[in-house]
Amino acid sequence: MRRLDFKLEATALGSEARAARFRTRHNEVLTPTFMPVGTHAAVRSQRREDLLESGAQVLLANTYHLLLRPGTDMFRKFGGIHGFMNWPRSVLTDSGGFQIFSLPGSRTLCEEHAEFRSYVDKTLIRLSPERSIETQRAIGADIMMVLDQCVPSTVEHAVARSAMQLTHRWAHRSLAARGDSDQALFGIVQGASYADLRIESALTIADMPFDGCAIGGLAVGESNSQREDCTATVTELLPKDRPRYLMGVGTTRDLLEAVHRGVDMFDCILPTSLAKQGVAFTSLGRRDLRRAAYRGLEGPIDPACDCYTCKTYSIAYLFHLQRVHETSGWQLLGLHNIHFYMRLMRAMREHILAGTWLPFYRAQRDLLDARDSYGTAATHVTRADVRSRRRKRGRYEVMVRDEIGSIRDVNSGEVMHPGSDPGEEARLLYVEQSRLSSHLQIADREPWVIWDVGLGAAANAMTAILAADSLAFKARRLTLISFENDLDSLKLALDNIRWFKLLRHAAPRALLRDHRWTNPAGSIEWLLLEGDFAIRKFDAPPPDAIFFDPFSFKTDAALWTLPAFRELASVCSQKPAELFTYTYSTSIRAAMLAAGFHVAKGRGSGAKAETTIGLSARAAAAPHDRELLGEDWLAKWKRSDSQAPFGTAAADVTWRDAVLAHPQFKHAET
Ligand SMILES: [Zn+2]
């Protein structure tokens, strides 16, 4: 069966860049093309009308997440994902391989299948190549992906080789499982960073009757030039008469380089995830609306763009929305970014077809990489500039007092661990209060899992690691998962390590390089989930303890809202989990109560008289000696003018009943 009817239209002179078209079950797809990422059958913050308007031809959804929630029965009931989300164009589903193998925690792998626990309800799930195809068929994807074994790009050759060979055997099984379905199926080239393996894998996949070929296992920590070399090596060996898809890549510049090397299809979360941080991709380069220089600027964020955002709003207004953490700011920038990506792909296609690719490519290379073109660049650089630059990075700068460094957010003025030795506060509030050392001495097959929300300069994480490392005897492994969307603070601290003593250890640099560090004994594992906590928390095993230490709600508003705490409470509901945080704000405690946590007083530290501990229902039901907030707090809350959880709409007062009826207080009354 001929499924995609792929037609190569042109290949650029002096380049591998190609323009092509193919037809799925829903529409014709013109390449090169970018596929917005709708992991959970929704593109974060974007309406379907805007996605259609942007010219998106294919959406990417994720088999792993959709299998767990809403489950295949829902798709069968609604006539597949197209009926469920009312999306008229094509959908490509990732197989779940990347999620299974990139996520920490318990999973086992054998020749037959991978086995892991659902983050939704902890049930044991077996995903075999056949089950993955069955799920993708139920979802109704136009293009399905084979189940593959992903390994970090830095693993040893033997490990990479065995993962590649398993991926090849599973590729055969996936093809057999697809049978005569009219849904297209792509094979995936693996091989980590080893050229010989990439070549072997490309030749093997090229030889099999797939409808397209994907390059997997990149965009996981390798350098740009490594990725570009690998892409070029692989595309040269892939068949010319089928589409090529580079998975998970990347910035606009990455896309340009990959098209130049012969890739046709892309997906990446960056247009929406960076929008949430205030970053726009524009025809003038990247513009970061967290920078004060944009305050009050007239004109659209991209003068060459005709999207709804650019037609309607000034930079000054978008800057303001970002500054007051208004969610429409995120949505509007995301809309622009997706439009910009789609428009860039169309421009690439036009230049390939017109025979003007090379000059376009050369001009765009520098343009796409330009940053924040709001003023004139400094021309003269002094030695003092160089020194002071070393103490600044992105939105952060180093502050030193008594030879102890802290990191300050230049935009908000907020300091991480203010007024005290960061290591001391980390020890008191997080490591000691969570009783980390005792937990690691109680035998258990599952690791004890800490979520470190807001890695910052790694004070909490390193204090936990050093405490765990100093135990003479551990009966249980520790998995520490750090969440961070801006690694500049840790990089800056490492550049100024004389003032950050906690970082004098192999772990932080390994974490930045590989997003993972394990101690030699294998008893401590530290993982980094980069990006938005709101999204990445679903990629982690549920926590036993949460070190909740992001910037305050003035800076990181989205993390402190009632909906955010509701999601957290739901993630914690399967375990006796405890959350530790530095604030004792009335409205944040109210948000935690309304979200379903039990809330207790935490110990004071520095200038703070108290801090806060949240307990999941299971933790509250078990014997504990936490001092739960009682009637006196409730009385104070009733008199307070900051009753409402942060960010709650005025019309929504459901939180009020939830706090008043909370079992924690009922119990106190009886
Ligand atoms: Zn725009």
Side-chain angles (χ1 to χ4, degrees):
M1 186 184 298
R2 202 173 156 86
R3 287 182 181 83
L4 291 181
D5 196 17
F6 179 89
K7 291 193 181 79
L8 181 62
E9 295 170 280
T11 303
L13 211 61
S15 163
E16 295 299 317
R18 6 191 269 163
R21 60 176 67 214
F22 60 84
R23 174 162 283 285
T24 72
R25 303 194 302 175
H26 286 87
N27 58 304
E28 187 164 54
V29 178
L30 307 179
T31 72
T33 194
F34 177 78
M35 305 182 281
V37 177
T39 302
H40 299 274
V43 178
R44 287 266 166 191
S45 86
Q46 297 301 305
R47 302 186 317 154
R48 116 193 225 289
E49 288 69 24
D50 298 321
L51 293 167
L52 290 171
E53 165 86 22
S54 77
Q57 308 173 88
V58 188
L59 282 193
L60 182 130
N62 192 282
T63 304
Y64 171 89
H65 292 291
L66 295 180
L67 171 65
L68 303 189
R69 203 164 43 189
T72 45
D73 286 347
M74 190 69 80
F75 291 110
R76 291 198 179 99
K77 177 175 173 185
F78 280 86
I81 192 168
H82 292 88
F84 187 49
M85 63 184 288
N86 193 12
W87 177 251
R89 297 183 189 156
S90 302
V91 171
L92 179 149
T93 41
D94 195 0
S95 64
F98 179 78
Q99 282 69 29
I100 294 171
F101 295 106
S102 66
L103 303 188
S106 49
R107 62 167 177 260
T108 54
L109 174 71
C110 62
E111 182 65 32
E112 265 317 292
H113 54 246
E115 200 173 71
F116 60 94
R117 284 208 180 272
S118 158
Y119 62 74
V120 177
D121 59 8
K122 295 289 276 174
T123 52
L124 197 61
I125 295 191
R126 281 186 180 161
L127 199 61
S128 61
E130 292 78 15
R131 175 98 192 269
S132 176
I133 295 293
E134 182 197 326
T135 306
Q136 295 182 72
R137 287 188 65 171
I139 293 171
D142 297 88
I143 300 173
M144 307 185 288
M145 303 299 300
V146 298
L147 187 65
D148 57 341
Q149 187 192 352
C150 297
V151 292
S153 61
T154 46
V155 295
E156 285 170 29
H157 190 273
V159 177
R161 184 178 169 80
S162 115
M164 175 197 77
Q165 289 168 336
L166 182 70
T167 298
H168 294 168
R169 292 193 295 275
W170 283 6
H172 283 288
R173 285 169 54 188
S174 301
L175 273 170
R178 192 265 303 265
D180 59 2
S181 161
D182 62 351
Q183 290 162 274
L185 179 63
F186 282 20
I188 304 178
V189 173
Q190 287 289 357
S193 54
Y194 299 101
D196 61 326
L197 297 183
R198 286 283 173 181
I199 291 169
E200 185 183 338
S201 188
L203 292 171
T204 306
I205 296 298
D207 237 13
M208 299 171 68
F210 285 114
D211 308 298
C213 301
I215 307 171
L218 291 177
V220 288
E222 74 285 347
S223 71
N224 285 352
S225 64
Q226 274 176 321
R227 178 168 64 244
E228 286 158 13
D229 290 349
C230 175
T231 305
T233 308
V234 170
T235 51
E236 198 179 329
L237 302 170
L238 293 179
K240 297 213 183 309
D241 62 352
R242 282 173 258 173
R244 302 147 172 189
Y245 162 31
L246 179 56
M247 304 177 79
V249 173
T251 65
T252 46
R253 164 80 188 256
D254 296 334
L255 266 49
L256 183 84
E257 295 293 353
V259 167
H260 187 53
R261 289 163 177 78
V263 176
D264 308 308
M265 301 164 67
F266 302 88
D267 77 282
C268 191
I269 59 165
L270 283 179
T272 43
S273 66
L274 283 181
K276 191 164 187 192
Q277 296 170 34
V279 175
F281 293 91
T282 76
S283 58
L284 305 171
R286 269 160 88 149
R287 309 185 93 174
D288 185 342
L289 285 185
R290 289 170 301 197
R291 305 180 76 119
Y294 288 110
R295 182 197 302 277
L297 280 200
E298 293 170 22
I301 186 130
D302 185 351
C305 182
D306 61 354
C307 80
Y308 170 77
T309 303
C310 291
K311 278 190 299 201
T312 316
Y313 298 109
S314 63
I315 296 181
Y317 183 64
L318 295 172
F319 174 90
H320 169 71
L321 293 180
Q322 163 72 19
R323 202 33 87 86
V324 299
H325 307 292
E326 175 52 52
T327 51
S328 62
W330 169 26
Q331 187 259 329
L332 289 167
L333 271 195
L335 184 153
H336 163 79
N337 281 347
I338 288 176
H339 271 253
F340 183 75
Y341 265 64
M342 300 308 305
R343 203 158 44 88
L344 177 68
M345 301 315 284
R346 287 195 293 272
M348 290 191 208
R349 176 179 161 82
E350 281 158 20
H351 283 282
I352 295 167
L353 289 171
T356 50
W357 168 258
L358 272 186
F360 173 80
Y361 163 72
R362 289 196 191 107
Q364 288 291 320
R365 254 199 318 191
D366 297 331
L367 214 53
L368 292 175
D369 246 6
R371 300 289 163 108
D372 295 302
S373 48
Y374 49 77
T376 50
T379 48
H380 181 65
V381 180
T382 65
R383 287 183 68 135
D385 287 339
V386 173
R387 263 200 310 280
S388 82
R389 232 176 249 176
R390 213 171 288 148
R391 307 239 330 230
K392 283 187 187 145
R393 186 174 184 119
R395 59 193 268 209
Y396 302 112
E397 67 184 15
V398 173
M399 294 175 49
V400 181
R401 201 167 69 184
D402 301 333
E403 293 297 298
I404 295 172
S406 316
I407 302 284
R408 178 173 177 274
D409 178 352
V410 180
N411 295 352
S412 68
E414 217 172 313
V415 180
M416 296 178 186
H417 298 282
S420 62
D421 178 351
E424 187 62 8
E425 187 177 276
R427 187 176 65 77
L428 288 173
L429 293 193
Y430 300 103
V431 174
E432 285 189 356
Q433 283 207 112
S434 68
R435 297 170 184 142
L436 169 105
S437 304
S438 320
H439 281 291
L440 296 185
Q441 280 161 17
I442 302 166
D444 198 310
R445 282 182 54 218
E446 296 292 318
W448 201 66
V449 178
I450 301 175
W451 284 12
D452 169 41
V453 182
L455 168 69
N460 297 337
M462 281 311 301
T463 306
I465 285 171
L466 295 172
D469 227 2
S470 70
L471 294 174
F473 169 74
K474 284 190 277 293
R476 191 173 185 185
R477 284 174 297 134
L478 171 66
T479 295
L480 172 65
I481 301 166
S482 291
F483 296 87
E484 183 56 80
N485 60 10
D486 185 345
L487 295 172
D488 279 348
S489 50
L490 179 55
K491 290 175 185 163
L492 178 62
L494 283 168
D495 284 346
N496 291 276
I497 200 155
R498 58 178 284 214
W499 296 305
F500 293 85
K501 292 203 183 92
L502 282 171
L503 300 180
R504 293 177 191 167
H505 192 281
R509 285 185 204 279
L511 187 80
L512 277 183
R513 190 181 59 239
D514 307 330
H515 286 201
R516 174 184 291 257
W517 171 83
T518 311
N519 70 337
S523 55
I524 306 173
E525 186 181 33
W526 187 17
L527 302 152
L528 172 62
L529 289 182
E530 193 179 356
D532 233 318
F533 177 64
I535 298 168
R536 297 305 316 257
K537 66 170 176 282
F538 296 111
D539 293 338
D544 295 284
I546 303 178
F547 296 174
F548 198 74
D549 192 18
F551 280 119
S552 78
F553 65 88
K554 290 180 210 129
T555 310
D556 272 340
L559 294 176
W560 298 96
T561 61
L562 177 55
F565 280 118
R566 280 193 181 126
E567 283 193 1
L568 257 189
S570 140
V571 169
C572 293
S573 63
Q574 303 297 322
K575 276 186 169 180
E578 293 183 311
L579 177 151
F580 303 88
T581 188
Y582 57 84
T583 181
Y584 61 108
S585 135
T586 301
S587 64
I588 286 167
R589 284 176 163 181
M592 291 171 68
L593 286 164
F597 282 102
H598 285 61
V599 176
K601 288 177 188 168
R603 72 195 292 177
S605 158
K608 300 175 196 93
E610 277 178 19
T611 55
T612 299
I613 304 175
L615 290 79
S616 72
R618 285 199 177 191
H624 66 80
D625 57 359
R626 305 295 186 194
E627 190 190 342
L628 293 176
L629 302 180
E631 287 299 312
D632 52 336
W633 182 86
L634 193 63
K636 208 177 81 188
W637 174 75
K638 286 177 187 163
R639 294 192 305 270
S640 164
D641 55 8
S642 51
Q643 283 185 6
F646 181 73
T648 315
D652 173 16
V653 291
T654 53
W655 51 267
R656 193 186 304 274
D657 292 339
V659 174
L660 289 171
H662 197 286
Q664 163 167 357
F665 302 118
K666 270 195 185 156
H667 186 72
E669 272 167 20
T670 51

